[in-house]
């Protein structure tokens, strides 16, 4: 099933509106009833397709969003139904407006005219306020209370690869099946539900009994694990849960929620699909966190972490353009540890800058070995970690790095993740560009970029995120993201690049879009840890 048909199946109405009220695009909207315009509404004014009070509100919100460069939202009634409308700026003269039916304030109070409990709805706005009130009242009256944070695996990937609204619809559909677990049913403690983010639900229970809490949370997780059919496709979700109990683990709403988050993170590290209590997490996992921090510190000192290189090539000629270095940790007991795991530890423990600086030294050693077996114009590429990039001595670190003379600035490339662009002002990077270092925006498509920042920064290229590049041949949304990223690079006179060039068809597809350079399985692998690889090769040759 195409991504366009999935988008059309979503309940929210998504429209592009120009400042003067002309509709530029329409998507989805089967959940807004008669408010959904027909397919011939594109190019018409909002006043031609909606009642005056709706049209005027959409037009006002569009203008407000464009002028303030922030999201504007409001509620309105039409034909007895309350709706929410949210406008987000999409340039100097247009905005994206999303219209959806308003959700009930509380999960527990959703009843029909006969007083029967309806299927629960996700509490989007009032949950945190209600949770704070519940925590305060429970502490005052000395009543039991617990909070469970439930993380649903897979939704972030769906949002990134297909459409954010699809992941939201999947979450909503999954929660709607929880009617069988209505508050206070059977022996279960009363509870209510809220949503913290795209992938996080929060469950508040009036109980401190571990067995009752675990039984209730497990019942809800079991429902979430059941296959979910939506728009003809079947989705399988994997929930993990972390629980914190008032009085035992924390005495305030914020601390209670933070501890539940910590517990669910430990549940996810254990393989997913588990329930962990913060008390157990505190007792059993705190030493493990200290151990991995100590091991990471030792791994940096002993250079157990190395740089793994992949070659970036010219898509038209196949010529090697750059060695692109990525951090790799080969643990002596656990084997290879994924970068996402140890980089998160590095950032949260303050070792991010230390690791990034150490990697710069390893880069010099590897450059000496790699440059012996390649053309003299091939560059070496380094991705600075966020904490190092934001450090006050970052530019000075690089200037000292260049002053050693091991890597000529004309042979060096600095990659900055799209999500980390705004931690430095564009002017901060001009000394590096002036010296000859090429600056690349990496992982394009994962977050929101500032066009002003891009236009001011002394950039050389933009590299598409691997997930979008791989999905571009199967999903139209991913294809549009790649096409937009490449067009933006061309408009800024930058070199469009991509990862995930794993076969000839992918190379031809990206090249047709205008991409000039790429890396992936199509091209020969580059040895990891250049200096060590070279030395071991000499030893074997001597033998």
């Amino acid at each position: 099933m195409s991504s366009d048909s999935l988008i059309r199946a979503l309940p929210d109405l998504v429209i592009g509106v120009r400042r003067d009220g002309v509709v530029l695009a329409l998507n989805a909207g089967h959940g807004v009833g008669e408010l959904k315009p027909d397919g011939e509404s594109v190019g018409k004014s909002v006043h031609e397709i909606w009642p005056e009070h709706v049209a005027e509100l959409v037009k006002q919100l569009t203008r407000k969003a464009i002028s303030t460069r922030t999201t504007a939202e409001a509620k309105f009634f039409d034909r007895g139904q309350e709706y929410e409308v949210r406008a987000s700026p999409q340039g100097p003269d247009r905005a994206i407006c999303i219209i959806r039916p308003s959700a009930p304030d509380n999960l527990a109070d959703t009843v029909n005219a006969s007083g029967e409990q309806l299927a629960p709805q996700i509490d989007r706005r009032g949950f945190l306020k209600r949770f704070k009130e519940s925590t305060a009242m429970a502490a005052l009256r000395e009543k039991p209370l617990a909070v469970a944070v439930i993380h649903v695996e897979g939704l972030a990937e769906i949002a990134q690869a297909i459409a954010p609204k699809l992941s939201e619809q999947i979450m909503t559909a999954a929660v709607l099946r929880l009617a069988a677990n209505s508050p206070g049913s059977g022996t279960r403690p009363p509870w209510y539900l809220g949503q913290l983010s795209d992938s996080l639900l929060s469950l508040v229970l009036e109980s401190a009994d571990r067995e009752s809490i675990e039984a209730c949370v497990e019942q809800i997780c079991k429902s979430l694990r059941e296959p979910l059919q939506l728009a003809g496709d079947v989705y399988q979700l994997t929930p993990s849960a972390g629980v914190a109990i008032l009085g035992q683990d924390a005495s305030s709403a914020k601390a209670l929620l933070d501890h539940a988050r910590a517990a669910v993170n430990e549940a996810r590290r254990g393989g997913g699909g588990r329930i962990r209590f913060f008390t157990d997490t505190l007792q059993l996992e705190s030493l493990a966190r200290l151990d991995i921090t100590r091991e990471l510190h030792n791994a940096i000192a002993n250079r157990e972490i190395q740089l793994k290189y992949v070659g970036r090539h010219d898509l038209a000629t196949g010529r090697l353009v750059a060695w692109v270095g990525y951090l790799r940790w080969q643990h002596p007991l656990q084997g290879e540890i994924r970068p996402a795991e140890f980089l998160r530890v590095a950032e949260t423990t303050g070792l991010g800058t230390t690791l990034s600086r150490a990697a710069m030294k390893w880069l010099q050693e590897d450059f000496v070995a790699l440059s012996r077996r390649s053309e003299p114009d091939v560059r070496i590429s380094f991705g600075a970690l966020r904490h190092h990039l934001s450090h006050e001595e970052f530019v000075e670190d690089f200037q000292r790095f260049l002053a050693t003379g091991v890597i000529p600035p004309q042979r060096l490339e600095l990659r900055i993740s799209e999500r980390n662009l705004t931690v430095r002002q564009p002017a901060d990077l001009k000394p590096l560009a002036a010296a000859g270092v090429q600056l690349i925006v990496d992982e394009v498509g994962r977050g929101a970029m500032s066009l002003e920042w891009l236009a001011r920064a002394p950039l050389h290229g933009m590299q598409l995120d691997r997930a979008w590049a791989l999905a571009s041949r199967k999903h139209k949304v991913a294809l549009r993201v790649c096409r937009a990223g490449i067009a933006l690079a061309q408009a800024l006179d930058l070199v469009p690049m991509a990862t995930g060039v794993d076969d000839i068809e992918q190379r031809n597809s990206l090249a047709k879009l205008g991409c000039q350079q790429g890396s992936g399985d199509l091209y020969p692998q580059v040895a990891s840890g250049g200096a060590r690889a070279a030395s071991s090769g000499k030893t074997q040759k001597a033998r």
Side-chain angles (χ1 to χ4, degrees), residues 276 279-289:
R276 298 296 297 269
T279 303
D280 301 334
T281 300
L282 181 64
Q283 294 174 349
L284 301 178
E285 303 295 342
S286 58
L287 291 178
R289 284 194 293 271

Side-chain angles (χ1 to χ4, degrees), residues 407-474:
I407 303 179
Q410 294 76 17
R411 301 284 299 276
L412 181 63
E413 183 180 282
L414 172 62
R415 301 191 320 278
I416 302 176
S417 171
E418 178 189 79
R419 293 175 295 183
N420 298 336
L421 289 181
T422 55
V423 302
R424 296 218 74 93
Q425 293 298 320
D428 297 343
L429 303 173
K430 289 184 178 180
L432 301 182
V437 178
Q438 289 187 353
L439 305 178
I440 309 297
V441 179
D442 200 1
E443 300 176 344
V444 171
R446 286 194 180 185
M449 292 185 293
S450 165
L451 291 179
E452 180 183 3
W453 195 100
L454 294 174
R456 291 179 181 276
L459 301 174
H460 173 76
M462 294 174 60
Q463 181 163 270
L464 292 172
D465 180 62
R466 178 179 176 84
W468 287 118
L470 289 176
S472 62
R473 287 162 57 190
K474 299 180 180 179

Side-chain angles (χ1 to χ4, degrees), residues 237-478:
L237 305 178
T238 303
S240 302
V243 181
I245 301 175
L246 182 67
Q248 298 180 24
D249 301 322
S251 58
S252 69
K254 182 180 184 302
L256 201 62
L257 200 57
D258 288 344
H259 289 174
R261 287 177 186 269
V264 77
N265 287 336
E266 297 297 346
R268 294 177 62 199
R269 291 190 186 101
R274 300 185 178 186
I275 301 174
R276 298 296 297 269
F277 283 79
F278 177 76
T279 303
D280 301 334
T281 300
L282 181 64
Q283 294 174 349
L284 301 178
E285 303 295 342
S286 58
L287 291 178
R289 284 194 293 271
L290 290 175
D291 286 343
I292 193 171
T293 301
R294 182 166 55 251
E295 288 188 9
L296 179 59
H297 187 278
N298 292 337
I300 296 173
N302 300 330
R303 197 178 165 177
E304 294 174 7
I305 299 176
Q306 297 184 4
L307 285 163
K308 176 183 178 181
Y309 295 91
V310 298
R312 190 194 307 128
H313 295 254
D314 184 278
L315 296 184
T317 65
R319 180 179 62 87
L320 178 65
V321 176
W323 309 293
V324 184
Y326 298 96
L327 289 167
R328 176 184 182 186
W329 184 4
Q330 191 69 31
H331 193 278
L333 298 178
Q334 302 180 34
E336 184 169 351
I337 299 178
R338 294 187 306 165
E341 296 180 9
F342 71 82
L343 290 180
R344 182 169 57 246
V345 174
E347 296 292 0
T348 56
T349 57
L351 289 174
T353 300
T354 301
L355 177 56
S356 188
R357 284 171 170 168
M360 292 170 65
K361 297 180 182 178
W362 307 334
L363 196 77
Q364 292 178 322
E365 299 175 16
D366 296 341
F367 175 81
V368 173
L370 290 170
S371 60
R372 293 172 183 160
R373 39 195 170 95
S374 66
E375 298 297 325
D377 60 343
V378 178
R379 292 175 175 263
I380 194 165
S381 179
F382 172 74
L385 299 185
R386 181 182 180 87
H387 281 198
H388 188 201
L389 187 66
S390 62
H391 197 279
E392 59 183 7
E393 296 183 1
F394 173 76
V395 176
E396 288 77 3
D397 283 347
F398 252 84
Q399 289 174 335
R400 287 190 291 267
F401 175 81
L402 295 175
T404 62
V406 176
I407 303 179
Q410 294 76 17
R411 301 284 299 276
L412 181 63
E413 183 180 282
L414 172 62
R415 301 191 320 278
I416 302 176
S417 171
E418 178 189 79
R419 293 175 295 183
N420 298 336
L421 289 181
T422 55
V423 302
R424 296 218 74 93
Q425 293 298 320
D428 297 343
L429 303 173
K430 289 184 178 180
L432 301 182
V437 178
Q438 289 187 353
L439 305 178
I440 309 297
V441 179
D442 200 1
E443 300 176 344
V444 171
R446 286 194 180 185
M449 292 185 293
S450 165
L451 291 179
E452 180 183 3
W453 195 100
L454 294 174
R456 291 179 181 276
L459 301 174
H460 173 76
M462 294 174 60
Q463 181 163 270
L464 292 172
D465 180 62
R466 178 179 176 84
W468 287 118
L470 289 176
S472 62
R473 287 162 57 190
K474 299 180 180 179
H475 302 291
K476 288 186 178 180
V477 172

Side-chain angles (χ1 to χ4, degrees), residues 70-83:
T70 58
T71 299
E73 53 188 288
K75 292 185 178 182
F76 66 91
F77 280 90
D78 185 71
R79 301 174 182 90
Q81 170 68 49
E82 185 181 42
Y83 295 91

